[in-house]
Amino acid sequence: MGTVEHAKAAGRFIADEPRTNWHDETLWFVRQKRDHAASLLNGWEELRERASQIKNHVLSNLDQYLIQFEKNAIANGAIIHWAADAEEHNQIVHGIIKNAGVTRLVKSKSMLTEECHLNHFLSGQGIEVVDTDLGERIVQFRKEPPSHIVLPAIHLKKQDVSETFHEHLHTEKGNNDPNYLTGAARQHLRNEFIQSKVAITGVNFAVAETGGIVVCTNEGNADMGVHAAKIHIACMGIEKIIPKAGDLSVFLRLLARSATGQPITTYSSHFHRPDKEKQLHIVIVDNGRTQQLGRPDFRNSLKCIRCGACFNTCPVYRRSGGHSYHNAVAGPIGSILAPNIDMRKNADLPFASTLCGSCSNVCPVKIDIHDQLWKWRQILVKEGHVAMGKKIMMQSMAFLLSRPKLYRFAGKWGRKIMQSVPILVSNKLNPWYKQREMPEPPKQSFNEWYKQNKK
Amino acid sequence: MNSREKILKDIVANKPVLTELTDWVAPKSIQSTTLVGDFEKLLVSLHSKVNHLSSKNDLLKEVDELRAQYPFVIDTIHAEGEPRKNIQQLDARSLESLDVAIIEGRLGVAENGAIWLTETNMLNRLLPFICKHLVLVIDAENIVADMHEAYKKIRIDEDGYGVFISGPSKTADIEQSLVIGAHGPLTLTVYIISNHS
């Protein structure tokens, strides 16, 4: 699979400047809505701290909570499956669908199924998955992955959606009205909901104490799919567990406020027992999570509740778009999850950050995202996953910076060269010259100035 | 070794030292004198309509008006006996054209306008989602300040299914433009019943 490096892909994204600016500003607006929602709540920071503590506690006792969840879910009438990796997850889901004898089904948003490439796998088995979240349906028509975990089609403008719907749903050409387009999707997906015998959903939270799962949506698509179908398949990573029903209050207060600035999602659905003559399957998936749990520096990335706040605030994400990250989960959190699964393929992602720390500041469960990005960089260099150019550059910088005399000498000549032959740095071979003017070189170094002026 | 055993074994090998979780009391989020007002304000800001009734009897008149206005109305609050059983058995195809569903909510949450209802209230899990217009009825006495209080008052596994609903269905997936009425109801009307007679 030919993966394009983040920096190269981002270069293509920003070639369209008005669109890049729109993307940047729109996500920043979502970030501001998040700030406003947080400021309205008394005790926001205490809530984040509590959420963080609950998740830390769960990770330190995860095996016991999973066993408790399984026992209670089975008592509730659910059927539990365990999958060590994406392949097994896909096989299990396929087995259930095959047994039901269907070739078409509906699925609401699940980043886990994206991570496992379930749609692609099922399509190879002759089964068509209809994504029912509006944003996901749009990108599915376009044969693209979602570019954001909460706002899957945020990279698109309404003209793009209009064209896509004209092609697939025969809407009027050139009608870009979001109301009109959403109405067309509603009609199209209603038919899918009513016909589907099987509905797949993700899981936001799994409650060990009661053996139930909670799914949050604004559109109501998870519920439409599940209640109309005969079989509900819910796919969850092992880290979705929380201990008690009461803990939901902490997470539901944080989730939508962090994601979009809403006080809560329109629907927070609690599934415990399947309806009469129906089935509830829950697939519990590892796919690298236990390995991440074993990395002390990175294990708390598993606390993530997939709100997307770190995407919306990230200056690099906002100006490079989700597809540049070539991973199901993009953005800062994706960049610390992805190298765990495939270090070589995702070695570029921890470098797609300015390490400004904004991601860690907005994270509702207090993951030290920017610290982890920095720590991944060190591991990736040590393990030899970083391009030789970058490595040599870093080594020569280290050599230079640890030798004051040589540093001063190099600085002096650098300034002279920039003054007399600016073309040597202001040319296209120098990546720092791209999209920016080089600063005017100062006449003297701070060191020289200090020596002259100290009294 | 099957995958279940392998996953559990790997967790035991890799998990950090146990951190205990101490009890915690959430900071107060709302002044309790303004519960109904805050609840209403939130619902309106989330694109719902709010009406006040002074008793549950007044509701029947509202239901009659809805029946006069729309051809397909299901009132789960007053349904008994055979009609009640019939509602439970309706599938998606037969509910496709449902105009209005009227359902009693158990509890309302002032901080976010969410209303908790369970299968016992909705009779049929599809009703609050497949109808074009959802009408929820809530007793003013059952409005609590925040989600912490809410979860203290409800048992999430009392029924097979329960949901917090905080407005009509919506989406902003096309260029972040808010559109009310995604897959679920196009409108939500909430009747708050206060002043018991």
Side-chain angles (χ1 to χ4, degrees), chain A residues 15-88:
Chain A
D16 186 341
E17 197 171 321
R19 189 174 282 234
T20 308
N21 291 342
W22 180 84
H23 189 265
D24 176 23
E25 284 158 19
T26 304
L27 287 160
W28 184 250
F29 181 61
V30 180
R31 151 81 208 254
Q32 286 175 317
K33 287 199 288 187
R34 172 252 172 226
D35 290 352
H36 181 66
S39 73
L40 291 177
L41 205 70
N42 188 30
W44 177 259
E45 289 305 316
E46 284 140 289
L47 210 53
R48 285 179 71 212
E49 180 57 33
R50 180 62 179 178
S52 169
Q53 284 171 5
I54 295 170
K55 285 283 184 177
N56 280 334
H57 168 69
V58 167
L59 291 180
S60 75
N61 197 30
L62 189 54
D63 51 320
Q64 293 305 312
Y65 279 130
L66 281 166
I67 292 168
Q68 188 191 3
F69 173 77
E70 178 190 40
K71 183 170 149 272
N72 291 329
I74 290 172
N76 288 337
I79 302 157
I80 304 290
H81 309 262
W82 297 75
D85 53 29
E87 171 68 24
E88 192 177 6

Side-chain angles (χ1 to χ4, degrees), chain A residues 22 26 30 33 41-43 46-47 50 53-54 56-57 59-63 66-67 70 82-84 88 132-135 138 151-154 156-159 161 178-179 181-182 186 189-190 193-195 210 218-219 221 223-224 227-228 238 245 248-250 252-253 257 262-275 286 290-291 293-294 299, chain B residues 3-4 6-8 10-12 14-24 26-30 42 46 88-89 92-93 95-97 111-114 116 119 123-126 128-132 134 146-149 151 154 156-186:
Chain A
W22 180 84
T26 304
V30 180
K33 287 199 288 187
L41 205 70
N42 188 30
E46 284 140 289
L47 210 53
R50 180 62 179 178
Q53 284 171 5
I54 295 170
N56 280 334
H57 168 69
L59 291 180
S60 75
N61 197 30
L62 189 54
D63 51 320
L66 281 166
I67 292 168
E70 178 190 40
W82 297 75
E88 192 177 6
T132 58
D133 174 86
L134 176 60
I138 294 167
L151 320 165
I154 194 66
L156 298 171
K157 301 282 286 175
K158 58 190 175 193
Q159 303 84 276
V161 178
N179 273 293
L181 297 170
T182 303
R186 176 184 166 101
L189 288 166
R190 277 245 152 177
F193 285 129
I194 283 161
Q195 286 168 23
T210 63
N218 280 324
E219 297 181 7
N221 56 320
D223 287 283
M224 275 296 287
H227 303 320
I238 53 171
L248 283 168
S249 64
V250 174
L252 291 190
R253 294 185 89 193
R257 287 185 173 97
Q262 296 169 251
I264 189 168
T265 49
T266 306
Y267 304 104
S268 309
S269 307
H270 300 53
F271 298 90
H272 278 87
R273 291 181 287 283
D275 213 343
D286 180 350
T290 52
Q291 179 180 260
L293 189 65
R299 63 164 59 113
Chain B
S3 290
R4 179 185 184 275
K6 183 178 183 306
I7 292 168
L8 292 174
D10 288 348
I11 292 172
V12 172
N14 289 345
K15 68 179 180 178
V17 183
L18 184 71
T19 55
E20 293 297 340
L21 194 61
T22 51
D23 286 337
W24 180 72
K28 271 251 168 285
S29 56
I30 216 169
L42 247 302
L46 298 171
Q88 286 165 337
Q89 258 127 50
R93 211 169 280 282
L95 287 169
E96 202 184 343
S97 59
E111 73 156 311
N112 55 24
W116 173 252
E119 208 165 351
L123 302 184
N124 183 322
R125 297 185 188 190
L126 269 167
F129 302 97
I130 206 165
C131 62
K132 288 189 194 74
L134 177 61
D146 58 30
M147 294 300 279
H148 305 295
E149 280 190 38
Y151 278 105
I154 62 176
I156 59 169
D157 57 345
E158 181 187 318
D159 274 351
Y161 173 75
V163 60
F164 280 106
I165 296 180
S166 69
S169 78
K170 60 183 179 185
T171 182
D173 274 348
I174 301 176
E175 247 190 45
Q176 279 293 290
S177 314
L178 182 67
V179 177
I180 305 296
H183 301 302
L186 307 166

Side-chain angles (χ1 to χ4, degrees), chain A residues 393-419:
Chain A
M393 180 108 114
M394 285 297 168
Q395 280 168 346
S396 33
M397 281 307 282
F399 180 84
L400 188 65
L401 293 174
S402 57
R403 287 166 180 78
K405 268 191 191 153
L406 184 62
Y407 172 76
R408 281 196 289 276
F409 176 79
K412 196 167 192 162
W413 280 99
R415 284 191 297 281
K416 281 205 173 130
I417 287 168
M418 276 178 81
Q419 276 156 8

